[in-house]
Amino acid sequence: MDAQGRGRADNIDPADQWVLNPNTGEYELRLSPSAAQPPVPGPRRPSSRDGSGAAGGRERQPETGQSRQSPRARGAEVPAPRSARRRNAEPEAPQGRRAARRPVKKKSKAKKVLLWTGGSMAFVLVAVTAAGYLYIKHLNDNITSVSDDGAGTGGFSKDEAINILLIGTDKRTGKGNEGYGDSGSVGHADTTILLHLSKDRSNATALSIPRDLIVDVPDCPTQQADGSQKVIPGSQGVRFNKSLGQDDRTPSCTMRTVTELTGIKPDDFMVADFNAVKTLTEAVDGVEVCLAKDIDDPDSHLKLSKGTHNISGEQALAFVRTRHSVGFGGDLSRIGLQQQFLGALMRKLKGNSTLSSPTKMVKLAEAGTKALTVDDKLDSITKLKDLGLELGKLNPKNLTFTTVPVVDNPAEKVHSTVVLNESKAPSVFEAIRNDVSFTDVKKKQKAAKNAQAARLKGSKAPASDVRVRILNGGAAPGSAQAVLNWLQNDEGVTKSENSGNSPAPLSRTTLEYAPDQAAQARRLAAIMGLSGAAMKPGKSVTNSQGLPAMTLTLGKDFKGAGVSLTPPTKAPDVDKSTADKVKCAG
């Protein structure tokens, strides 16, 4: 019977009481230091206590009774019990006094707090993660999306220029909105802005399209509730605002109308009603606007004195709707107010007071997801976040607001509608299509443009020496053959050939050439009307005759054989303002 059996083990593992003696090759009983123990049945073994009471001398082997020297007497060290080794040989009680029962070691208060806090934090993190997931799901459920019916590009791309169509409708849904004007409106395109964000995110252009502009609305294939498609017939010579709502037209019809008008295909659209203006401004605690005179407009319910004001909610809605008390009292005057409002909203969104406030960000997320209707390529909070990150790279001073150049409609005696200014509008559309900034170009952009221009400078080879392969990379079918015929028959580029379609479509026409073909490239660029940006120094390829040749790839921008492809390098001179400045309306 060992100490464990006698109930005095003091939390000692019974197996630890028998220890192998390396000198004898036998196990010996080693009890915890204590007062003298009752004899253990069997051969007598003196206890081997450490300290002053340690037994030494000789011990007798039980098998033979032969006396041999104790390992301790010889100075040999016997391994301590395993439990003692684990406890780093804790001090023993003095000999002659019964060992006190060792109390169970308690964790310190500091360790308790640390463990509790660590466990709680782990729980909190899990809870927050779960809550975050549920909140994201909640925001996703807030989003209303409708199909773009193939009218867009298929959604914006992070590495390309972005074109977003922003549509404000005059639909009177929502509390308190039925008292504004036509309470039965189906929701026309009352305010429309084409927002172009440059490829390098250094600048953007917000192009307002007047609601009273006379346009042609094309046929609109539209997805129905049952999944089928219905083609809504187009209309010729109607107000632009009828591209939405009229005859059950959806935002995809407005997208098609914008493409027909400008030649720019939007990537995505966002639709906002009256409630969006109210809730978004309330979420950011108002935006700052400025008036050059007192305004009291009973139609829009705007009553503000001259000067600067922080507006939100109903007052913000009245501000963007008023027109009779500013400018000439028409829609073009109201566009100026709307542009000022959007600039103020952008400044507020970019301000630290908004971005650093979790409460405001949550309010903004709630308001934005509830107030906006988006196309089905922007139907999740993740996609909206990605778009927001791209827009967030823009400095407000490089966001230019301008309006489609128009003139009064000559067909009307009382000018209630407008038509395109054919001498100015095409150049505005072309500048946006070609990603030209309407603000001052940065130094690094100027350096890049200078490098592109340098490619066109230098000697030009004779047309008869130009050797080129022509590929179709997104132009209309048959374009490569049409260019080949034109180059050979009209321009004397006889060493040219049609090499079919390119491996991948390109948005812009390019000419790739080796360094020793620079003179040939400059000649072909002059013939084709290519800009320096279209010229891509690289390597030559082998044509069908096994000779080195350049590669001309016709992109989606190709307009036809003989039509110049030199894009504008400078924006046209039009009325404009930037989002970093407050321009008082009056």
Side-chain angles (χ1 to χ4, degrees):
M1 186 174 181
D2 58 16
Q4 182 78 11
R6 293 194 299 272
R8 297 188 298 103
D10 292 335
N11 295 323
I12 298 174
D13 185 345
D16 286 344
Q17 295 175 305
W18 291 93
V19 180
L20 177 67
N21 187 330
N23 296 293
T24 64
E26 297 177 351
Y27 283 92
E28 298 177 357
L29 179 64
R30 303 293 173 87
L31 299 178
S32 298
S34 63
Q37 304 294 335
V40 178
R44 184 177 181 179
R45 291 189 178 96
S47 62
S48 53
R49 294 183 297 274
D50 295 332
S52 60
R58 310 181 69 85
E59 64 181 13
R60 183 176 302 276
Q61 294 195 21
E63 290 86 350
T64 63
Q66 182 180 352
S67 174
R68 64 184 299 174
Q69 190 175 14
S70 166
R72 289 181 185 269
R74 296 197 310 266
E77 184 176 348
V78 180
R82 285 177 296 166
S83 58
R85 293 196 298 271
R86 287 195 298 267
R87 293 191 299 271
N88 295 323
E90 295 177 0
E92 298 176 345
Q95 186 178 5
R97 184 184 299 172
R98 184 177 181 85
R101 183 179 296 273
R102 289 190 300 273
V104 177
K105 189 176 182 180
K106 295 183 179 180
K107 295 185 177 79
S108 70
K109 287 185 177 181
K111 287 187 176 180
K112 272 188 173 182
V113 172
L114 182 62
L115 288 173
W116 185 89
T117 304
S120 297
M121 284 303 296
F123 176 79
V124 168
L125 287 174
V126 171
V128 167
T129 302
Y133 167 78
L134 293 175
Y135 188 63
I136 289 174
K137 184 178 183 301
H138 163 71
L139 292 178
N140 281 333
D141 291 341
N142 283 349
I143 298 171
T144 301
S145 66
V146 295
S147 174
D148 72 354
D149 299 312
T153 63
F156 78 92
S157 175
K158 292 182 181 180
D159 55 357
E160 295 291 340
I162 297 175
N163 293 296
I164 305 295
L165 190 63
L166 308 174
I167 307 171
T169 77
D170 59 358
K171 199 168 186 178
R172 269 67 173 172
T173 55
K175 183 179 179 181
N177 296 328
E178 63 278 354
Y180 291 107
D182 182 8
S183 59
S185 174
V186 294
H188 295 108
D190 198 48
T191 302
T192 305
I193 294 176
L194 179 63
L195 177 63
H196 172 83
L197 184 63
S198 69
K199 183 176 181 179
D200 64 3
R201 309 299 186 250
S202 67
N203 64 89
T205 303
L207 180 67
S208 293
I209 303 174
R211 69 168 195 174
D212 295 326
L213 174 63
I214 298 299
V215 297
D216 293 335
V217 177
D219 293 345
C220 297
T222 306
Q223 182 174 309
Q224 304 300 297
D226 60 1
S228 63
Q229 272 209 342
K230 172 186 176 183
V231 177
I232 300 176
S235 302
Q236 308 298 309
V238 296
R239 279 182 167 89
F240 176 85
N241 69 340
K242 291 188 176 180
S243 64
L244 178 66
Q246 196 76 17
D247 301 323
D248 296 326
R249 292 186 176 117
T250 66
S252 66
C253 291
T254 307
M255 289 183 90
R256 295 183 193 279
T257 304
V258 168
T259 302
E260 185 88 4
L261 175 69
T262 66
I264 302 166
K265 179 178 279 193
D267 299 303
D268 298 281
F269 65 73
M270 292 183 176
V271 182
D273 58 16
F274 284 4
N275 278 334
V277 176
K278 294 194 289 187
T279 57
L280 286 174
T281 51
E282 288 171 345
V284 297
D285 295 336
V287 297
E288 188 176 278
V289 296
C290 181
L291 294 174
K293 65 178 182 180
D294 295 345
I295 289 182
D296 186 358
D297 186 348
D299 292 328
S300 68
H301 311 308
L302 179 67
K303 186 174 183 179
L304 286 175
S305 61
K306 176 182 176 181
T308 301
H309 300 271
N310 189 75
I311 60 173
S312 66
E314 293 286 349
Q315 202 171 42
L317 177 60
F319 183 84
V320 298
R321 290 194 66 253
T322 194
R323 56 174 173 158
H324 298 301
S325 301
V326 292
F328 295 105
D331 186 53
L332 295 179
S333 299
R334 179 166 61 179
I335 284 176
L337 287 174
Q338 294 166 350
Q339 291 175 348
Q340 183 191 156
F341 170 81
L342 289 174
L345 180 59
M346 182 175 180
R347 289 193 302 276
K348 196 63 177 285
L349 291 175
K350 293 278 286 186
N352 290 332
S353 62
T354 298
L355 298 178
S356 62
S357 170
T359 302
K360 289 182 182 178
M361 292 301 290
V362 169
K363 286 172 63 178
L364 190 60
E366 286 284 350
T369 52
K370 287 179 179 178
L372 300 176
T373 297
V374 299
D375 66 271
D376 52 356
K377 310 302 184 300
L378 283 178
D379 59 355
S380 73
I381 194 66
T382 301
K383 294 175 183 176
L384 288 172
K385 176 211 68 174
D386 289 342
L387 177 58
L389 290 175
E390 296 303 311
L391 293 172
K393 297 174 183 178
L394 178 67
N395 189 321
K397 72 178 183 180
N398 291 325
L399 169 58
T400 302
F401 289 102
T402 189
T403 305
V404 173
V406 295
V407 295
D408 289 332
N409 188 354
E412 293 180 338
K413 291 183 179 179
V414 178
H415 301 302
S416 60
T417 61
V418 292
V419 295
L420 281 183
N421 183 332
E422 295 294 349
S423 65
K424 292 184 177 181
S427 60
V428 172
F429 302 152
E430 188 177 17
I432 294 175
R433 282 197 303 269
N434 289 283
D435 206 20
V436 176
S437 175
F438 279 67
T439 58
D440 292 334
V441 180
K442 295 180 180 179
K443 290 182 179 180
K444 66 178 182 179
Q445 293 174 310
K446 288 183 178 179
K449 291 181 182 299
N450 291 338
Q452 294 170 2
R455 296 170 191 164
L456 298 173
K457 295 179 180 179
S459 60
K460 299 179 180 65
S464 58
D465 290 346
V466 174
R467 188 179 287 111
V468 61
R469 298 166 63 245
I470 306 168
L471 299 176
N472 190 331
S479 293
Q481 187 59 43
V483 170
L484 177 66
N485 295 338
W486 172 67
L487 288 177
Q488 290 185 342
N489 299 330
D490 299 344
E491 301 298 332
V493 185
T494 56
K495 297 176 183 177
S496 51
E497 62 182 40
N498 181 357
S499 297
N501 293 327
S502 66
L506 297 179
S507 59
R508 300 183 186 281
T509 298
T510 61
L511 174 61
E512 186 173 3
Y513 60 96
D516 61 351
Q517 296 171 321
Q520 294 184 47
R522 286 191 286 267
R523 172 58 66 190
L524 187 59
I527 294 173
M528 294 285 299
L530 297 177
S531 67
M535 300 175 68
K536 305 295 181 185
K539 60 182 180 180
S540 64
V541 294
T542 303
N543 65 11
S544 60
Q545 298 177 344
L547 299 173
M550 301 183 295
T551 301
L552 174 66
T553 305
L554 306 177
K556 296 177 181 178
D557 62 338
F558 180 74
K559 300 180 179 64
V563 179
S564 175
L565 285 170
T566 301
T569 57
K570 185 178 179 181
D573 185 16
V574 293
D575 291 336
K576 59 187 179 182
S577 62
T578 53
D580 63 321
K581 298 177 181 178
V582 179
K583 185 178 180 180
C584 296

